[in-house]
Amino acid sequence: MMSSTGHVFYGDLRSHERVSIPFSTFMHSCKSYLGGLNAADDSSKDKGIGEEPTCSEEMCSASLENSEQLYLAQVSILNTENKERCSLEVLKEDIQEPIFLKGRPFSSINFWMSRAHMRSSTHYDPHHNLLCVVAGCKKVTLWSPSASPFLYPMPVYGEASNHSCVSIEEPDYSSYTRAKYMKEYSERVVLNCGDALFIPEGWYHQVDSDDLTIAINFWWKSRIMTEMLEHMDAYYLRRILRRLVDTEMDKIAQKNSFSHAQENNGFQPTDKALRRSEQFNLHNEVKSHDTSDKKGATDTSDKKGAPLQSLEPSTLQALYELMSLVHDSVEAVDQNNIAESASQDTSSSQSIERKKIAADDSSLLEKDPVAKIILPVEPLELRSMLLAMVHTFPRTLEGLVLNILGPTGAEILTRKFDEMDQQTTTEEQTEFYKTFYTAFDDQYAAMDALLNRKELFSFQVFQSVLDQYLRVHVDRPS
């Protein structure tokens, strides 16, 4: 392999080309570089250079004079997929298979030799790999597949899709901002003569080789790749994307929960919360109107509910903030007189909302005020608050779920439901949901609203996952 980038060998074909020379010629060049030959030997060694269309005699001769530009890389001793490429098959009898690899169906066994110090770019291989150093020294830096976002792999449709975009010599952190953290996720191993390193399939690695370093490596397919039949590719892709989306959703919820737990540690009622008590008094005055407005509504005073007085101060504050959101929204609609036009084009507005979500890369939580309010509330406290709303402000609860709740809020709310279920009995769960849905004239509309917005949230996270795992080589402009 002849590099156009000095002693650094990048996987992209634009930075190197394959040249053909006799093995003996390369060996002579190594001895020459180490000072083992005299000037006469130096002048004679170039005569054995092969004549390939891609490499003139002058080109190869010039490359041999520059020891940093040549690397005997991945020359096959065994290649089950292409036997014609086994240039060094004659060495197979000299290779002893490691005992723990006996019976493995090798894809290939390869010979590697550097004449001078060289570096390979960061990349992963689609096989399990056992790297064995015969002479010299290699320093290997490793990253697990989960570090992929920090390494910015090249596009999946590219010729070198298994290589990182980040330069190992002069990384451009302005273009690849996450790359400045890549060292924190790496492990470094030094291999001397007689050492071997197992590099699992999909693990990124970057290798530095000292002068005159020789290595043999064994590649074989992992069990999962052996058993992954081609006609199942589309199914596996869907399963993997689904798992990535679920993981990303968990990360978002957990990260925001931790952040709010810190912000609300040692909560005390604020003046703002106390001022909102005026809203509570206002709604208390219209309580009879609010409940009687429901179809088939009955007197709720005797129902088993959650009295407002029993709620924690922080839960009361959350309740007042939710009520404020709903009634501020109603007032805004009334003032602009757009309620009728908005209700006539629901499908169109949902389509626009979906496009906005896909294009917007801002914080999911910051865009959803309901999510910010309910996130720090403990599950059982939220349960008490919702029951209090059912019995005291059912119309407000209905407006909240049907009109105000956003995608992130729907995801957080349903996760809170799951946490409630884990802390209550089956009978309590049944009673809660039965009571909760009595606040809605159309219970199916409420369920649809929750499910549709959860799907919007999943769609948004899906776009983020695609961007992170398939297009991380280009930072999306803010």
Side-chain angles (χ1 to χ4, degrees):
M1 185 185 293
M2 187 170 67
S3 171
S4 60
T5 52
H7 70 292
V8 180
F9 288 79
Y10 289 97
D12 196 325
L13 283 176
R14 298 171 185 84
S15 66
H16 74 265
E17 63 175 310
R18 292 281 181 179
V19 297
S20 177
I21 61 173
F23 185 65
S24 59
T25 301
F26 181 76
M27 293 300 296
H28 276 293
S29 72
C30 293
K31 292 179 180 180
S32 176
Y33 172 70
L34 296 175
L37 292 179
N38 56 31
D41 292 326
D42 292 338
S43 63
S44 64
K45 69 179 185 301
D46 295 336
K47 295 180 180 179
I49 297 175
E51 297 180 357
E52 278 207 355
T54 58
C55 177
S56 67
E57 185 171 333
E58 293 78 10
M59 181 187 298
C60 288
S61 178
S63 68
L64 285 171
E65 292 176 4
N66 188 342
S67 62
E68 290 185 340
Q69 287 189 340
L70 279 182
Y71 180 35
L72 208 60
Q74 197 179 325
V75 181
S76 294
I77 298 172
L78 169 72
N79 191 319
T80 58
E81 297 176 358
N82 190 346
K83 294 184 178 181
E84 294 180 0
R85 292 189 57 186
C86 296
S87 307
L88 293 177
E89 188 175 9
V90 65
L91 295 180
K92 183 157 190 326
E93 297 303 318
D94 296 322
I95 303 297
Q96 285 189 342
E97 296 180 6
I99 295 176
F100 58 88
L101 293 183
K102 286 289 185 182
R104 297 283 183 184
F106 294 120
S107 299
S108 63
I109 302 175
N110 303 296
F111 184 90
W112 309 74
M113 185 171 179
S114 61
R115 184 172 62 172
H117 170 251
M118 57 77 55
R119 313 189 75 188
S120 67
S121 60
T122 305
H123 67 285
Y124 65 85
D125 296 311
H127 300 93
H128 284 329
N129 181 10
L130 185 71
L131 177 62
C132 308
V133 175
V134 178
C137 177
K138 285 183 179 286
K139 301 175 182 67
V140 185
T141 305
L142 295 159
W143 293 265
S144 75
S146 62
S148 179
F150 302 98
L151 300 173
Y152 293 85
M154 290 186 178
V156 292
Y157 49 80
E159 178 271 330
S161 60
N162 61 322
H163 283 255
S164 168
C165 287
V166 183
S167 168
I168 59 176
E169 296 271 289
E170 299 177 352
D172 182 3
Y173 295 134
S174 62
S175 298
Y176 307 110
T177 54
R178 294 185 296 272
K180 58 188 174 183
Y181 303 110
M182 59 192 293
K183 287 186 178 179
E184 299 178 17
Y185 295 88
S186 67
E187 296 286 346
R188 191 165 175 81
V189 180
V190 178
L191 301 178
N192 293 301
C193 175
D195 291 338
L197 174 68
F198 171 56
I199 305 175
E201 174 193 358
W203 278 63
Y204 289 84
H205 49 285
Q206 184 274 315
V207 183
D208 289 317
S209 298
D210 288 353
D211 292 348
L212 199 60
T213 294
I214 303 173
I216 301 291
N217 90 295
F218 301 83
W219 271 333
W220 69 97
K221 287 185 178 181
S222 63
R223 179 181 298 176
I224 187 171
M225 292 305 298
T226 302
E227 297 175 354
M228 188 178 288
L229 303 178
E230 189 173 341
H231 72 277
M232 295 289 286
D233 284 353
Y235 164 73
Y236 289 132
L237 178 62
R238 289 181 62 86
R239 285 292 305 272
I240 291 170
L241 286 174
R242 178 70 255 177
R243 188 160 65 177
L244 289 174
V245 168
D246 290 343
T247 301
E248 194 69 17
M249 289 165 66
D250 289 340
K251 286 181 181 178
I252 292 170
Q254 291 170 5
K255 179 180 178 181
N256 290 327
S257 294
F258 177 75
S259 175
H260 277 267
Q262 288 186 318
E263 291 175 5
N264 292 281
N265 189 27
F267 168 81
Q268 294 294 330
T270 62
D271 291 340
K272 183 179 179 181
L274 295 174
R275 287 197 300 271
R276 288 177 186 262
S277 64
E278 296 176 5
Q279 283 186 327
F280 164 70
N281 292 332
L282 172 64
H283 288 289
N284 214 24
E285 290 175 6
V286 298
K287 172 182 174 182
S288 58
H289 171 74
D290 197 5
T291 54
S292 62
D293 193 33
K294 286 174 54 64
K295 293 180 181 179
T298 58
D299 182 13
T300 61
S301 58
D302 294 331
K303 286 185 178 180
K304 182 180 179 182
L308 295 175
Q309 293 81 3
S310 67
L311 299 180
E312 294 290 334
S314 57
T315 308
L316 271 176
Q317 179 176 344
L319 173 60
Y320 297 145
E321 290 177 352
L322 290 176
M323 292 172 59
S324 178
L325 280 176
V326 175
H327 289 276
D328 287 349
S329 174
V330 171
E331 290 174 6
V333 171
D334 290 340
Q335 290 173 4
N336 291 281
N337 196 26
I338 61 172
E340 183 177 353
S341 62
S343 62
Q344 291 175 350
D345 195 19
T346 304
S347 61
S348 175
S349 64
Q350 287 180 347
S351 176
I352 294 172
E353 184 179 6
R354 181 179 289 265
K355 290 178 180 178
K356 280 180 64 181
I357 288 174
D360 194 354
D361 197 34
S362 60
S363 169
L364 301 181
L365 189 68
E366 292 301 319
K367 294 188 298 182
D368 198 320
V370 176
K372 291 177 65 176
I373 293 171
I374 66 176
L375 183 60
V377 181
E378 291 296 325
L380 294 183
E381 275 296 304
L382 181 62
R383 180 178 183 272
S384 298
M385 184 181 76
L386 293 174
L387 290 175
M389 292 185 74
V390 169
H391 296 298
T392 312
F393 310 120
R395 283 302 184 201
T396 301
L397 178 59
E398 185 176 45
L400 175 70
V401 173
L402 296 181
N403 303 315
I404 308 299
L405 192 66
T408 309
E411 179 65 27
I412 297 297
L413 180 60
T414 51
R415 283 175 180 256
K416 293 286 186 180
F417 284 165
D418 290 339
E419 293 177 21
M420 293 178 199
D421 291 346
Q422 294 174 7
Q423 300 178 39
T424 54
T425 65
T426 303
E427 292 76 15
E428 290 171 331
Q429 295 168 23
T430 302
E431 182 64 25
F432 167 74
Y433 291 115
K434 180 180 178 181
T435 304
F436 175 78
Y437 283 108
T438 60
F440 304 92
D441 285 339
D442 187 343
Q443 297 182 10
Y444 294 103
M447 295 179 185
D448 285 345
L450 288 171
L451 291 175
N452 289 339
R453 285 159 198 168
K454 276 176 63 68
E455 288 186 350
L456 281 176
F457 179 77
S458 296
F459 175 74
Q460 185 174 13
V461 175
F462 175 72
Q463 292 292 322
S464 175
V465 167
L466 285 181
D467 180 66
Q468 182 176 357
Y469 288 91
L470 301 181
R471 299 177 59 194
V472 292
H473 59 289
V474 177
D475 275 344
R476 179 181 291 179
S478 57

